[in-house]
């Protein structure tokens, strides 16, 4: 639960020793705090030819209060920024040995690649990041916008847009110092649905999310009215496994965003569940999610007011190699981690308990993406969560319900504290940020997917893994 190495190398003596010995120096990640501004500082903006997103982005960045400065590749930016009454200017690169730039370090680098139609048009992509990466602050953000390859009109455009994945993932590995790098594909017509996602990726809320590719689709319906400071106000959220660990943090973050939380956990964890729910003014329901009667009982318990957000977080491990794994260990992991979710969703959807415009979020794992020795049952269940999200998404579109999954990597919890030291240390360090994530990192990612503004994101899996090498 406590990363002693990270604390040590960020002390004055430890920092000197680490640098003398050439040891990795993971940055202390900047995380969201309600008492600090969420968005501040400068964003350098670059663009490829015919940028299609800049107009929408100018309005969104103006609303964050940040200052966007234009790289020479984004000449249009200054007039767009002025139209939105935003402070702006030309980006001044840091030139080593020539005194500092008059601009502070950049909080974020944002590149609009949406108009790139051919790989021969990549020069501005290189020029922007070549000029700007050194200006990016510790824990800065890289965000690239493109078009989903499958929505491209020509195969050349498809190729160029797909190539952006390799680019943004490489910058995540190269930048270090707590910097994250992500690619957002925006379907034509979905530009206005991008704001919640842009905010998430610019914010300290996404501290442990890097190397990710997110697709935003257009939707035919209007978004509900919401307040950016309390986006989940008036919404009810069901969180399973809420007594402790990641589940308790999800309850906490969703409540802070305004949701009324109903937490579920096994009867033997009732005391811890009551404690967690009291802290968030929520309701505790002591149910074993795998019990056959639970789906109907849950639907009945929620029936009067329905539910808007369902987070399937409860999960267990029973690790053994397949030759040593009993049938009971196999079945209980599949049942709790996967089949119970299916039964609960079916019951809530059939009874109409999950309301129109709702959100379902499953908790998968990078084990479900990469597989893991000794975890065939767990990895099967977590890969199944991904399949379920992808398979269910089209069937829920008519109710405006989205279904997505998060796939955590190494998160500092009681579960990972039990891993033997050497394996634990390897798990912690084998990612671009050289450290484990915290439960709140998973919780914040779930809150973004639960956001009313995330209506264009469905059927997707977002890893919360610091760009782990596992399953990369
Ligand atoms: P945890 O063991 O600390 O918490 C899990 C909670 O689920 C517990 O409160 C437990 O009582 C509850 N639960 C278990 N079985 C239940 C059942 N049948 N009915 C109701 N509640 C039940 O685990 P965590 O680390 O907080 O993990 C939360 C989720 O995140 C799990 O799905 C886990 O697989 C996933 N995950 C965790 C990590 C990590 O590094 N910790 C990584 C990837 C995925």
């Amino acid at each position: 639960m406590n990363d002693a190495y990270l604390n040590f190398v960020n002390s004055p003596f430890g920092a000197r020793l680490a640098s003398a010995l050439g040891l990795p120096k993971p940055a202390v990640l900047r995380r969201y705090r309600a008492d600090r501004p969420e968005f501040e500082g400068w964003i350098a903006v670059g663009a490829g030819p015919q940028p299609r997103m800049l107009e929408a982005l100018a309005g969104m960045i103006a609303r964050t209060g940040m200052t966007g400065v234009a790289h020479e590749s984004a000449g249009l930016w200054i007039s767009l920024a002025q139209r939105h009454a935003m402070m702006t200017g030309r980006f001044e690169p840091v030139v080593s040995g020539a005194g500092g730039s008059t601009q502070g370090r950049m909080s974020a680098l944002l590149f609009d690649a949406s108009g790139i139609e051919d790989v021969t048009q990549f020069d501005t992509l290189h020029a922007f990041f070549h000029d700007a990466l050194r200006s990016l602050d510790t824990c800065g953000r890289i965000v690239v916008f493109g078009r989903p390859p499958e929505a491209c009109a020509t195969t050349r455009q498809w190729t160029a847009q797909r190539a952006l994945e390799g680019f943004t993932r490489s910058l995540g590995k190269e930048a270090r110092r707590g910097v994250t790098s992500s690619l957002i594909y925006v379907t034509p017509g979905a530009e206005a649905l991008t704001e919640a996602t842009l905010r998430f990726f610019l914010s300290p809320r996404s501290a442990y999310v890097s190397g990710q590719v997110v697709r935003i689709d257009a939707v035919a319906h209007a978004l509900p009215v919401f307040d950016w400071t309390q986006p989940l106000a008036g919404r009810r959220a069901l969180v399973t496994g809420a007594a402790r660990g990641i589940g308790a943090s999800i309850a906490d973050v969703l409540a802070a965003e305004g949701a009324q939380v109903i937490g579920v956990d096994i009867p033997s964890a009732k005391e811890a569940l009551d404690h967690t729910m009291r802290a968030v003014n929520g309701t505790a329901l002591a149910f074993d999610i795998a019990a056959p009667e639970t789906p109907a009982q849950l639907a009945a318990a929620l029936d009067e007011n329905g539910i808007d957000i369902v987070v399937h977080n409860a999960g267990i491990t029973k690790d053994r190699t397949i030759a040593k794994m009993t049938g009971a260990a196999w079945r209980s992991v599949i049942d709790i981690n996967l089949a119970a979710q299916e039964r609960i969703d079916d019951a809530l959807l059939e009874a109409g308990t999950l309301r129109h415009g709702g959100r379902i979020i499953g908790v998968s794992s990078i084990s479900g993406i990469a597989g893991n020795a000794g975890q065939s049952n767990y990895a099967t269940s977590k890969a199944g969560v991904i399949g379920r999200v992808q398979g269910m998404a089209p069937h829920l579109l008519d109710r405006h319900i989205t279904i997505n999954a998060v796939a955590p990597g190494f998160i500092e919890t009681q579960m990972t504290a039990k891993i033997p030291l050497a394996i634990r240390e390897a798990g912690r360090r084998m990612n671009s940020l050289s450290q484990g994530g915290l439960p709140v990192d998973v919780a914040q990612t779930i809150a973004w997917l639960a956001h009313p503004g995330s209506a264009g994101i469905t059927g997707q899996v977002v890893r919360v893994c610091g760009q782990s090498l596992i399953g990369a």
Side-chain angles (χ1 to χ4, degrees), residues 179-191:
V179 168
T180 67
S181 175
S182 302
L183 172 61
I184 303 173
Y185 283 134
V186 182
T187 305
E191 290 79 1

Side-chain angles (χ1 to χ4, degrees), residues 44 53 91 145 150 156 163 209 219 278 342 367 369 377 386 411 452 472:
M53 288 290 303
F91 168 70
F145 285 93
E150 55 284 6
R156 292 241 163 140
V209 181
V219 297
R278 259 196 309 276
E342 297 184 299
S367 280
I369 295 169
N377 51 356
I386 295 173
I411 305 296

Side-chain angles (χ1 to χ4, degrees), residues 240-248 250 264-269 272-273 285-291 294 312-317 332 335-337 340-341 362-367 378 381-382 406-419 437 439 442 464:
T240 68
R244 66 176 203 189
I246 294 172
I250 297 167
V264 174
D265 213 300
I266 40 174
S268 60
L273 182 66
L285 294 179
F287 285 131
D288 175 348
I289 56 161
T294 292
H312 292 294
N313 162 76
I316 60 163
T317 51
S332 63
D335 197 43
I336 291 172
N337 293 6
Q341 296 186 18
V363 177
S364 177
S365 162
I366 57 170
S367 280
Y378 183 75
S381 71
K382 295 299 186 180
V406 293
F410 184 99
I411 305 296
E412 305 279 357
T413 61
Q414 289 181 27
M415 196 193 243
T416 48
K418 287 192 205 127
I419 301 173
V442 181
V464 186

Side-chain angles (χ1 to χ4, degrees), residues 122-311:
F122 276 153
D123 282 0
T124 48
L125 184 67
H126 166 264
F128 173 66
F129 286 100
H130 173 79
D131 293 348
L133 199 58
R134 260 184 298 198
S135 305
L136 187 58
D137 207 355
T138 302
C139 299
R141 297 283 183 265
I142 293 169
V143 188
V144 176
F145 285 93
R147 291 298 194 204
E150 55 284 6
C152 289
T154 68
T155 50
R156 292 241 163 140
Q157 190 183 6
W158 182 311
T159 306
Q161 291 294 331
R162 177 61 181 77
L164 296 172
E165 268 198 49
F167 181 78
T168 43
R169 291 192 208 273
S170 296
L171 290 197
K173 294 187 173 179
E174 211 171 286
R176 305 269 156 184
R177 299 179 295 116
V179 168
T180 67
S181 175
S182 302
L183 172 61
I184 303 173
Y185 283 134
V186 182
T187 305
E191 290 79 1
L193 289 178
T194 310
E195 190 156 355
T197 299
L198 174 67
R199 283 177 174 248
F200 175 69
F201 281 103
L202 289 180
S203 158
R205 293 176 196 267
S206 60
Y208 200 62
V209 181
S210 190
Q212 297 307 292
V213 181
V214 176
R215 195 190 66 245
I216 301 180
D217 291 323
V219 297
H221 58 275
L223 293 190
V225 176
F226 60 85
D227 169 357
W228 286 111
T229 59
Q230 287 273 286
L232 303 182
R235 287 180 166 68
R236 285 168 35 105
L238 180 75
V239 180
T240 68
R244 66 176 203 189
I246 294 172
S249 189
I250 297 167
D252 191 39
V253 170
L254 296 183
E257 299 284 283
Q260 191 201 333
V261 178
I262 296 118
V264 174
D265 213 300
I266 40 174
S268 60
K270 176 82 166 60
E271 206 175 309
L273 182 66
D274 283 342
H275 178 77
T276 313
M277 287 303 117
R278 259 196 309 276
V280 299
N281 253 331
T283 307
L285 294 179
F287 285 131
D288 175 348
I289 56 161
E293 63 281 9
T294 292
Q297 287 179 345
L298 259 182
L302 298 171
D303 201 31
E304 205 176 300
N305 297 303
I307 197 90
D308 304 284
I309 299 160
V310 177
V311 184

